[in-house]
Amino acid sequence: MSTFAASRLHDSDHDRNPEPVWQELRDHHPVFYDEIANVFMVTRHADVRRAFTEAETFSSRVYRKTMGRVFGPTLLELDGADHVRRRTIVSPLLMGVRLEAYQELIDEVAQEVLDDAFADGGPVDVVATIAHRLPVSVIASMLGLPREDHGQFFIWYEAMMAGVWVDDEARRRGRQAADELKAYIAPMVEQRRITPGDDLISRLVHAEEEGERLDPGELGAYVALLLTAGGETTDKSISNLAWLLLTHPEEAAKALADEAHLDRAFSETMRILPPLIYVGRETLTDVTWHGVEIPAGRGVRLAIGSANRDERVYSEPDRFWPDRPDLHQGLERRIAPTTEGRASHLAFGAGPHFCLGYQLARYETKKTVELLLQRLGPGPITVESPGPIVDGPTRSVRELVVG
């Protein structure tokens, strides 16, 4: 058995190129105790999927220590019947025909953001001017917030995201931003109770399941969670899909000509460059896994980025291959099936905590990149980018300049 130093998970080589580290862990230490972070790392596809689906053993309550310290209690940290009840109230609002009602609005916001980005005719940093700003603008528009307040909404978003992952002072500022956001939303919530409209706040206020509704505190926390969790991951999804297509011009040409190919490119991007590469869980019982004992109450890090490149599941896993025959394409499913020689990517998780906003993220990302490719046209494009980098639990390109 080979030895592996936990320090390799925390150095600049891992940040720039984590694939060799993940492969070594998958092959020799599929469950590895990282004594620096004090968590157990799980890296194989089958094992990560198991942890997602076995919520009675691997709990999401670990989010009390991250998201919960900024927003207060949210759906992320609930398990069992409490989670099911709250999720059932809000989940239909971002899916199917209800999401379709917002598609024209999303298209308009995406077009406006691209118009602003390309306004001066010079090179455009897709990450800074499009991907980073568009998801917040979309969510603010869906909520029905006044256009003049979108800038403040973005300030709160950045403060809350920094508060989740950084130091105590950043967490204090993030909590303050969350409190200010909730105070801003509160009178709108009361007004929508009396006079509902077509916006998402109205739908959240009046959504119910078996007579239960979100109370004002829960609703404010959900809006903050939608803004941060949805905004951050969609930001990186747009960046990563754009980068992969623009650095693979033959695939970009196919995606520009065929919406079905763009759809497959999205699925393949979620596999090879998922925006979240690490998510946390906490064991509720003692677990012995691949010969490693994990006591109850310990942190487990699920390496989505590694699982999605597991050669036990995918051939040529480091190749961007939208037409790959071993990936379940199209709209993702909560059970993340592995059937008929195909496996699901795990970018949106699986099981009870499967991503609530996956359909919104898929539509928003595809539409934005489609409009970007149309704007750039079929000719040669100059692309400058340092490529994707690991940044805490996420991985994406930080700069993508086209011209």
Side-chain angles (χ1 to χ4, degrees), residues 251-310:
E251 299 294 349
K254 292 178 184 178
L256 187 59
D258 180 8
E259 184 179 353
H261 194 80
L262 177 60
D263 193 67
R264 292 191 293 273
F266 174 85
S267 295
E268 174 68 344
T269 298
M270 293 299 97
R271 184 197 68 82
I272 197 169
L273 274 184
L276 278 177
I277 56 171
Y278 295 128
V279 298
R281 290 293 186 267
E282 183 178 315
T283 50
L284 296 178
T285 62
D286 294 345
V287 177
T288 300
W289 209 353
H290 293 287
V292 177
E293 296 182 4
I294 308 176
R298 300 298 295 274
V300 177
R301 179 176 292 158
L302 307 182
I304 295 173
S306 171
N308 279 354
R309 293 187 184 231
D310 191 344

Side-chain angles (χ1 to χ4, degrees), residues 52 55 60 74-95 98 204 207-210 212-214 218 222 225 281 332-335 348-359:
F52 274 134
S60 289
T74 68
L75 278 171
L76 280 180
E77 65 188 55
L78 295 176
D79 290 315
D82 288 340
H83 173 256
V84 172
R85 280 196 297 271
R86 292 297 179 267
R87 183 183 174 102
T88 304
I89 293 172
V90 300
S91 61
L93 302 181
L94 296 175
M95 300 172 65
R98 295 193 182 185
L204 284 167
E208 63 178 70
E209 175 66 19
E210 296 182 356
E212 286 196 48
R213 293 182 176 181
L214 299 179
E218 291 174 320
Y222 179 76
L225 178 64
R281 290 293 186 267
E332 290 77 14
R333 295 168 61 190
R334 189 173 180 178
I335 61 173
F348 294 129
H353 283 275
F354 182 69
C355 177
L356 271 173
Y358 75 102
Q359 289 190 22

Side-chain angles (χ1 to χ4, degrees), residues 97 116 123 147 157 200 213 329 390:
V97 294
D116 289 343
R147 183 61 56 91
Y157 160 72
L200 186 55
R213 293 182 176 181
Q329 304 280 1
V390 172

Side-chain angles (χ1 to χ4, degrees), residues 117-395:
F118 283 87
D120 64 6
V124 172
D125 184 343
V126 173
V127 176
T129 64
I130 299 173
H132 194 42
R133 302 199 69 88
L134 190 144
V136 177
S137 295
V138 165
I139 292 170
S141 298
M142 291 175 64
L143 289 168
L145 306 188
R147 183 61 56 91
E148 61 268 21
D149 292 346
H150 286 198
Q152 180 59 58
F153 211 53
F154 189 79
I155 292 171
W156 285 328
Y157 160 72
E158 292 204 309
M160 288 187 293
M161 281 310 309
V164 170
W165 305 117
V166 194
D167 54 32
D168 290 341
E169 176 57 24
R171 184 171 290 120
R172 183 196 66 77
R173 292 194 298 268
R175 197 159 45 237
Q176 179 180 340
D179 289 342
E180 291 174 0
L181 171 62
K182 292 176 186 178
Y184 171 85
I185 292 291
M188 297 183 183
V189 169
E190 292 310 309
Q191 191 272 332
R192 263 64 159 196
R193 289 191 195 281
I194 300 168
T195 310
D198 293 330
D199 55 81
L200 186 55
I201 290 181
S202 296
R203 296 186 182 196
L204 284 167
V205 167
H206 293 278
E208 63 178 70
E209 175 66 19
E210 296 182 356
E212 286 196 48
R213 293 182 176 181
L214 299 179
D215 64 39
E218 291 174 320
L219 198 148
Y222 179 76
V223 169
L225 178 64
L226 177 65
L227 173 62
T228 49
E232 172 79 351
T233 52
T234 305
D235 168 354
K236 289 170 169 50
S237 297
I238 293 169
S239 301
N240 290 352
L241 176 57
W243 181 78
L244 283 166
L245 287 175
L246 292 172
T247 54
H248 295 78
E250 71 287 353
E251 299 294 349
K254 292 178 184 178
L256 187 59
D258 180 8
E259 184 179 353
H261 194 80
L262 177 60
D263 193 67
R264 292 191 293 273
F266 174 85
S267 295
E268 174 68 344
T269 298
M270 293 299 97
R271 184 197 68 82
I272 197 169
L273 274 184
L276 278 177
I277 56 171
Y278 295 128
V279 298
R281 290 293 186 267
E282 183 178 315
T283 50
L284 296 178
T285 62
D286 294 345
V287 177
T288 300
W289 209 353
H290 293 287
V292 177
E293 296 182 4
I294 308 176
R298 300 298 295 274
V300 177
R301 179 176 292 158
L302 307 182
I304 295 173
S306 171
N308 279 354
R309 293 187 184 231
D310 191 344
E311 57 284 335
R312 294 159 189 78
V313 177
Y314 303 110
S315 62
E316 301 181 69
D318 296 332
R319 173 187 173 189
F320 177 59
W321 185 10
D323 290 320
R324 66 168 48 251
D326 49 16
L327 176 67
H328 276 299
Q329 304 280 1
L331 202 60
E332 290 77 14
R333 295 168 61 190
R334 189 173 180 178
I335 61 173
T338 300
T339 57
E340 300 175 352
R342 296 173 183 259
S344 302
H345 69 75
L346 298 174
F348 294 129
H353 283 275
F354 182 69
C355 177
L356 271 173
Y358 75 102
Q359 289 190 22
L360 174 61
R362 170 180 274 275
Y363 182 82
E364 191 177 339
T365 299
K366 286 172 50 187
K367 174 55 66 174
T368 304
V369 174
E370 178 186 29
L371 292 174
L372 174 65
L373 294 177
Q374 290 173 353
R375 183 70 65 105
L376 294 172
I381 302 167
T382 301
V383 180
E384 298 179 12
S385 174
I389 190 169
V390 172
D391 185 12
T394 68
R395 191 183 189 204

